[in-house]
Amino acid sequence: MIQNNLLLMTDSYKLSHYKQYPTGTTNVYSYFESRGGRFNDVVFFGLQYYLKNYLEGVVVTQEKIDSAAKLYEKHFGNAAVFYREGWEYILKTHGGKLPVRIKAVAEGTPVHYQNAMMTIENTDPVCFWLTNFLETLLVQVWYGSTVATQSREIKKRILQYLDETGDPSLVNFKLHDFGFRGVSSVESASIGGAAHLVNFMGTDTVAALACIREFYNTDEVFGFSIPAAEHSTITSWGRENEAKAYLNMLTQYEEGLVAVVSDSYDVYNACENIWGGELKKAVLNRKGTLVVRPDSGIPKDVVLRVISILGDRFGFTTNSKGYKVLHPNVRVIQGDGVDFDSIGEILDTLKTHGWSADNIAFGMGGALLQKLDRDTQKFAFKCSSAVVNGEEREVFKDPVTDSGKRSKRGRLKLVKDSQGNHQTLPAAAGSTDLLQTVFENGSIIKQYSFGEIKANAAI
Ligand code: AOY
């Protein structure tokens, strides 16, 4: 099998579609939108990865065509379904580069749902069938966009609590990506992890850093981490040596931040009698901050009790907003049971008991990178315009069984209205189109740096 064979990156039924459009079809024009869902403002993110990794340059070769033909003959039990002539036309006429134009809103831009975020059409009338062949791959942009969207909403939520109870400038390190092990693939970790870094600066998902470096044009590293314990490094000392394991953490990492998972046996005992007892002086004399990590129990209850114990043992100050902040050498990170809702519950519980959001950071894994699907924001890719026998026609669906699945009609543009809200209008309308050509006939026309993308998503 030829690696990254674009001819195989689609749904089987799409192989049969070239015969199904009306005779005389020369143009198929489709658009991508979020039809609604959990959050109103949807961050567009990840297209550049797909363009660079799968669509740019010569992507059709004789070897790929032959390899696909063999597979499809067996798959369909029939050699006639695969459109060999169509692909050989692209090879011969276009040197194996894709005769399509893709326009998209700038990556990182939050766009209200029910707006076109991307459009695609064929640029060679013979290749009308290619537009929607690419749907399967292009729609995967739902994933990076949905991760970036939720991560941004969590940032807003955390910012509210920091505004009310503490220091908003701390927000970039308040949500750390713990999700690598919980995703279905390294590719998901790369894209999802990068999507999180559109909004935050803390990550343990190293694959995301490589993805940003390779596909978002930069040598800059956009995610940061610190030394941190896991259960094996603590429990291998034996239960009777829990304090020695903790002291080792303080001495191995002489200064700066260090995180220590502290629930191996009894997190309350660890906080009261080890960190806040036997090792209290070592913590206070250390040039840096110990981050205590509970990892079990009901998050809001455990966090409150842990912070209360650490407050009793190490002391706290009251900030200008009237909330308690632990001694600067001690903080807490909660990474178990963390999702959009539990973050709110934990911050609310802390606030109710007079504790600032400054005291805590969150680690989020499965709920950040995996507990999402294409329906979280109801992403869809639909044909809205075609040219048949030289005449442009509107194309749409409008199912009686679900008006929410109604699709837009005609060639489209994305604009900002006088109130600064996004609107999708007919392409012929006057105002500036925010959908910019990013890909045409095999070439990437416009690229975004990760810094620009972060700026576009800024709150
Ligand atoms: N990492 C902050 C740095 C990271 C982690 C990664 C699954 C960290 C833990 C921590 O403090 O405790 C994947 C679980 C934890």
Side-chain angles (χ1 to χ4, degrees):
M1 187 93 34
I2 282 95
Q3 267 211 326
N4 261 10
N5 187 348
L6 181 76
L7 283 69
L8 305 179
M9 294 189 183
T10 195
D11 309 306
S12 301
Y13 77 152
K14 288 194 179 286
L15 272 292
S16 67
H17 291 169
Y18 74 98
K19 286 189 175 177
Q20 301 177 21
Y21 290 99
T23 308
T25 303
T26 54
N27 179 261
V28 172
Y29 174 99
S30 296
Y31 76 99
F32 181 68
E33 70 172 332
S34 157
R35 292 194 303 242
R38 217 140 94 78
F39 306 110
N40 292 344
D41 292 321
V42 183
V43 176
F44 187 71
F45 178 73
L47 179 61
Q48 190 162 303
Y49 169 84
Y50 286 91
L51 297 182
K52 285 197 175 195
N53 207 29
Y54 297 112
L55 300 180
E56 183 182 24
V58 176
V59 292
V60 182
T61 63
Q62 195 61 55
E63 294 72 43
K64 288 183 183 188
I65 295 171
D66 294 344
S67 162
K70 265 194 197 167
L71 185 146
Y72 286 130
E73 178 174 351
K74 291 181 184 143
H75 180 55
F76 292 112
N78 177 351
V81 179
F82 175 60
Y83 193 21
R84 176 186 280 277
E85 300 70 30
W87 290 102
E88 286 182 342
Y89 176 85
I90 294 174
L91 179 60
K92 286 183 182 119
T93 311
H94 298 287
K97 296 182 180 181
L98 300 175
V100 296
R101 179 181 304 113
I102 300 172
K103 293 186 175 189
V105 69
E107 294 207 24
T109 309
V111 178
H112 192 274
Y113 66 86
Q114 281 176 10
N115 279 296
M117 304 177 96
M118 166 168 74
T119 63
I120 171 170
E121 65 181 315
N122 56 295
T123 55
D124 179 334
V126 174
C127 302
F128 64 89
W129 56 272
L130 182 60
T131 300
N132 271 34
F133 183 95
L134 298 173
E135 170 182 0
T136 314
L137 195 62
L138 287 173
V139 170
Q140 289 200 338
V141 174
W142 77 263
Y143 173 66
S145 298
T146 304
V147 173
T149 297
Q150 178 183 234
S151 161
R152 184 167 176 274
E153 292 301 320
I154 295 175
K155 188 175 184 180
K156 286 189 196 165
R157 172 63 65 89
I158 294 174
L159 262 174
Q160 283 173 3
Y161 283 94
L162 288 170
D163 273 333
E164 288 166 13
T165 71
D167 179 359
S169 78
L170 302 174
V171 72
N172 288 328
F173 289 101
K174 289 295 182 192
L175 188 64
H176 200 93
D177 178 359
F178 282 13
F180 202 163
R181 71 190 59 185
V183 282
S184 57
S185 65
V186 174
E187 189 178 36
S188 294
S190 304
I191 299 166
H196 172 65
L197 293 173
V198 168
N199 305 297
F200 288 93
M201 292 169 74
T203 193
D204 266 27
T205 300
V206 178
L209 306 176
C211 176
I212 293 168
R213 185 163 63 182
E214 185 166 352
F215 298 100
Y216 288 88
N217 312 325
T218 181
D219 278 332
E220 208 179 317
V221 171
F222 282 88
F224 305 91
S225 194
I226 59 171
E230 67 172 17
H231 289 101
S232 79
T233 68
I234 302 300
T235 55
S236 53
W237 291 70
R239 182 170 189 154
E240 65 286 5
N241 294 315
E242 188 181 7
K244 283 195 180 130
Y246 291 171
L247 179 60
N248 180 62
M249 289 299 290
L250 300 179
T251 52
Q252 292 289 348
Y253 309 100
E254 257 183 300
E255 52 180 58
L257 288 151
V258 62
V260 183
V261 65
S262 302
D263 78 323
S264 294
Y265 313 106
D266 177 348
V267 70
Y268 306 125
N269 175 64
C271 292
E272 182 141 359
N273 301 312
I274 306 179
W275 295 125
E278 229 185 296
L279 300 180
K280 181 175 172 181
K281 283 217 173 79
V283 171
L284 291 175
N285 290 333
R286 195 171 163 278
K287 254 175 49 196
T289 299
L290 163 71
V291 184
V292 174
R293 176 157 74 92
D295 196 38
S296 46
I298 298 164
K300 64 174 170 41
D301 300 339
V302 175
V303 166
L304 176 62
R305 191 159 157 203
V306 159
I307 288 181
S308 304
I309 295 169
L310 295 172
D312 287 344
R313 309 300 294 176
F314 290 97
F316 55 84
T317 54
T318 302
N319 66 20
S320 60
K321 294 169 180 174
Y323 288 87
K324 293 175 282 184
V325 181
L326 287 170
H327 186 283
N329 280 29
V330 194
R331 290 290 181 268
V332 170
I333 185 166
Q334 173 69 25
D336 178 57
V338 171
D339 60 20
F340 183 86
D341 293 328
S342 71
I343 287 172
E345 285 168 20
I346 294 164
L347 291 173
D348 213 61
T349 303
L350 291 181
K351 184 183 162 192
T352 303
H353 289 83
W355 289 105
S356 167
D358 292 5
N359 294 299
I360 191 166
F362 299 95
M364 186 164 161
L368 180 67
L369 299 188
Q370 184 76 26
K371 237 177 115 187
L372 312 149
D373 59 38
R374 189 164 63 85
D375 283 332
T376 304
Q377 293 302 142
K378 296 186 171 56
F379 276 108
F381 178 102
K382 288 285 165 270
C383 176
S384 62
S385 172
V387 176
V388 182
N389 296 325
E391 275 183 47
E392 189 177 311
R393 55 168 76 159
E394 291 187 342
V395 178
F396 62 94
K397 60 183 252 187
D398 189 5
V400 67
T401 37
D402 184 356
S403 61
K405 287 195 163 186
R406 183 187 301 151
S407 65
K408 299 186 187 305
R409 310 169 184 211
R411 297 176 66 88
L412 306 169
K413 71 181 352 174
L414 179 71
V415 305
K416 262 196 174 169
D417 68 17
S418 50
Q419 277 114 62
N421 298 316
H422 283 119
Q423 266 198 349
T424 301
L425 299 178
S431 17
T432 347
D433 193 357
L434 298 175
L435 302 177
Q436 296 196 55
T437 302
V438 290
F439 182 93
E440 199 168 85
N441 302 334
S443 299
I444 292 176
I445 304 295
K446 176 149 183 64
Q447 296 197 45
Y448 299 95
S449 72
F450 204 71
E452 288 175 75
I453 294 170
K454 285 177 73 82
N456 290 340
I459 293 159

